[in-house]
Amino acid sequence: MLSLILSACGGGGGGGNDAGNAGTSNAGTSDAGAATSTTTTAATITKANYSEVASAAVSPVGQVLNLDQLAGSLTSGVEVNGTSLSLGDATLDIYKRFRARNAALVTGAVYTESCSGGGSITVNESIASDQSVTVGDSASITAANCKESGLPAFNGKLSLKVTAVSGDPVNSTRYSMTLAGAYDNFTFINGTESVAINGDIAISASQNGSSTVNVGISGSALGFSVVQSGATTGSYQLKGYSFIGTDTNGTISLSVKYSLTGTSPKLGGPYAFSVDTLQPIVVNSSSDHPSSGALIVRGAPATVTVTALNSSSVRLDYSENGDGTVSTTRTLAWTEFDTLK
């Protein structure tokens, strides 16, 4: 059953998190791909702005692990398990909840239901069997200001399809599987804050009999637009993105690679960077921030390396010529770093 494989991927999907934002049914309808509508060039990284550049460039990693890092306190007042709510967790949880209510429908069905806290959701589903996962199983979900416990309210359309599977993801810990997904102005909402998402995503998960889930999030383009109190406070798009790692009992180890375009008032408008992993990012289940790992942000021509010293502090190393020679360095709290973007 597709819902059961998503449940199996829920732990892995949370760890691969990854791939997901005031209060009305048409809130947050700005185009999350808007970051691509403005001509961008590789941003100039300087001694004056390298801290802000680093925060903006690596913020998608925080978003993958915790929606709050994308939009202030998007999940504030929402009861969730653990310390954060990731995009992957939220996306898969939405499907699992509504698929489970119609498990007897196998050959294909379209149904609309009221959400427990208001609004509605329509599910268009096609699966081969309710006992096993099959390539081609699919579902699309269209929400109208749907409100469910443990999640921000949500609007828009989400589509998921099983594109590869081996072993038995439902009943064993020896399997591999891949889900292809698409967000169509899919928007998470909490009060005056919203995050609209557009683009494609592939979520993979596998286990070899142990408690470790190998996870992956990848795609060609995934855009985000953040609205707070009626104003767009940021929009960006990931291109050629890949988040690959493991989730072992809630401890996530993650390697990332992506190009990033977007707009930021603090950076003076449009920007473009590329981000790569120097050392895998490690996040423990008890913290919202990495305890170790390092990423490098490349601009024109300088670079800045972001190194997690522990779950409380981070070091930024600015290389003016982009050759690895450190021109200046700064250590600050993760909580301060998060506010710089």
Side-chain angles (χ1 to χ4, degrees), residues 188-304:
F188 289 107
I189 306 158
N190 189 12
T192 60
E193 299 174 345
S194 67
V195 179
I197 308 170
N198 284 280
D200 65 282
I201 191 170
I203 305 173
S204 63
S206 66
Q207 284 182 271
N208 62 3
S210 70
S211 60
T212 296
V213 181
N214 302 300
V215 295
I217 296 286
S218 61
S220 59
L222 192 63
F224 300 84
S225 182
V226 181
V227 175
Q228 295 176 308
S229 300
T232 299
T233 57
S235 61
Y236 64 83
Q237 186 179 64
L238 300 175
K239 295 182 178 180
Y241 66 96
S242 174
F243 296 74
I244 305 296
T246 60
D247 182 347
T248 305
N249 298 322
T251 296
I252 299 163
S253 177
L254 192 66
S255 294
V256 307
K257 181 180 179 66
Y258 55 85
S259 296
L260 177 71
T261 60
T263 59
S264 168
K266 293 185 178 180
L267 294 178
Y271 62 76
F273 310 108
S274 64
V275 179
D276 285 293
T277 302
L278 297 178
Q279 299 175 356
I281 296 296
V282 176
V283 183
N284 298 315
S285 59
S286 59
S287 175
D288 289 339
H289 294 99
S291 59
S292 63
L295 304 177
I296 185 168
V297 181
R298 294 185 172 90
T303 63
V304 56

Side-chain angles (χ1 to χ4, degrees), residues 110-125:
V110 179
Y111 54 91
T112 299
E113 293 191 11
S114 298
C115 301
S116 61
S120 64
I121 191 166
T122 299
V123 179
N124 186 337
E125 184 172 46

Side-chain angles (χ1 to χ4, degrees), residues 21-22 24-29 142-146 153-158 184-189:
N21 281 355
T24 62
S25 62
N26 58 1
T29 57
T142 303
N145 203 32
C146 179
F154 52 96
N155 289 320
K157 184 176 180 179
L158 166 67
D184 183 358
N185 206 37
F186 197 76
T187 306
F188 289 107
I189 306 158

Side-chain angles (χ1 to χ4, degrees), residues 316-327:
L316 308 179
D317 296 318
Y318 169 65
S319 176
E320 183 176 11
N321 297 319
D323 58 2
T325 301
V326 177
S327 306

Side-chain angles (χ1 to χ4, degrees), residues 122-134:
T122 299
V123 179
N124 186 337
E125 184 172 46
S126 177
I127 60 175
S129 169
D130 64 352
Q131 300 299 314
S132 63
V133 180
T134 304

Side-chain angles (χ1 to χ4, degrees), residues 5 132-134 164-177 207:
I5 184 54
S132 63
V133 180
T134 304
V165 63
S166 65
D168 184 358
V170 176
N171 300 304
S172 78
T173 57
R174 293 186 181 277
Y175 68 90
S176 66
M177 59 154 293
Q207 284 182 271

